[in-house]
């Protein structure tokens, strides 16, 4: 699956969509495919602070447990609670229904530290080989 063009990506395979000062975070299709069937998510609480490229949650699958890294700095303003009961949605809809958190971003310029979709597609293709 080609990476959606309106998102930016981390080297640890998280995505971010920025709308004004609100960022939506999620796991890229590559990440969910590598992890396999996702069985558990641990996400931060509303009001928690997140720091760019630092862990803010955990994803567990039948294969492994892995930290989830924040694409940008900010404060969590919403958590996708439906994923707690149905974490497998990350496998079936990584870019739509499986957004993880929404964050009020403190420094939108940090987006420049991330990859655009074209760069990420090349990066993920190389990681797969």
């Amino acid at each position: 699956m080609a990476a959606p063009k309106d998102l930016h990506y981390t080297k640890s395979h998280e995505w971010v969509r920025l709308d004004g000062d609100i960022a939506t975070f999620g796991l890229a299709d590559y990440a969910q495919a590598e992890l396999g069937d996702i069985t558990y998510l641990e996400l931060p609480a509303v009001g928690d602070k997140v720091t760019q490229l630092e862990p803010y949650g955990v994803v567990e699958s039948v294969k492994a447990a892995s930290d989830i890294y924040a694409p940008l700095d900010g404060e969590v303003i919403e958590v996708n609670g439906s994923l707690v009961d149905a974490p497998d949605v990350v496998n079936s809809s990584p870019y739509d229904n499986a957004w993880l958190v929404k964050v009020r971003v403190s420094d939108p310029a940090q987006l420049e530290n991330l990859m655009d979709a074209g760069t990420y597609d090349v990066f993920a293709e190389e990681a797969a080989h």
Side-chain angles (χ1 to χ4, degrees), residues 56-71:
Y56 75 90
V58 175
V59 57
E60 292 182 10
S61 73
V62 294
K63 290 183 183 179
S66 186
D67 286 333
I68 305 169
Y69 296 88

Side-chain angles (χ1 to χ4, degrees), residues 54 89 106:
E54 294 292 323
V89 172
S106 54

Side-chain angles (χ1 to χ4, degrees), residues 27 38-43 58-60 68 80 83-84 86-88 90 100:
L27 292 173
I38 293 175
T39 57
Y40 174 78
L41 285 167
E42 181 180 304
L43 298 173
V58 175
V59 57
E60 292 182 10
I68 305 169
N80 189 347
L83 295 179
V84 173
D88 59 310
V90 174
L100 302 177

Side-chain angles (χ1 to χ4, degrees), residues 43-49 75-77 79:
L43 298 173
V46 170
D48 284 357
K49 302 278 191 223
E75 180 181 340
V76 177
I77 60 168
V79 177

Side-chain angles (χ1 to χ4, degrees), residues 2 5 29 119:
K5 302 276 184 246
D29 183 60
T119 304

Side-chain angles (χ1 to χ4, degrees), residues 2-9 115-119 121:
K5 302 276 184 246
D6 63 328
L7 306 178
H8 282 79
Y9 301 86
M115 292 178 274
D116 64 19
T119 304
D121 280 338

Side-chain angles (χ1 to χ4, degrees), residues 6-19:
D6 63 328
L7 306 178
H8 282 79
Y9 301 86
T10 67
K11 289 183 176 179
S12 51
H13 306 286
E14 290 87 10
W15 59 260
V16 58
R17 177 182 293 118
L18 192 59
D19 183 14

Side-chain angles (χ1 to χ4, degrees), residues 6-8 15-25 71-73 103-112 114:
D6 63 328
L7 306 178
H8 282 79
W15 59 260
V16 58
R17 177 182 293 118
L18 192 59
D19 183 14
D21 68 341
I22 305 301
T24 304
F25 296 175
L72 302 170
D73 289 355
V103 171
R104 185 170 316 281
V105 175
S106 54
D107 184 3
Q110 288 181 323
L111 207 59
E112 295 171 18
L114 305 177

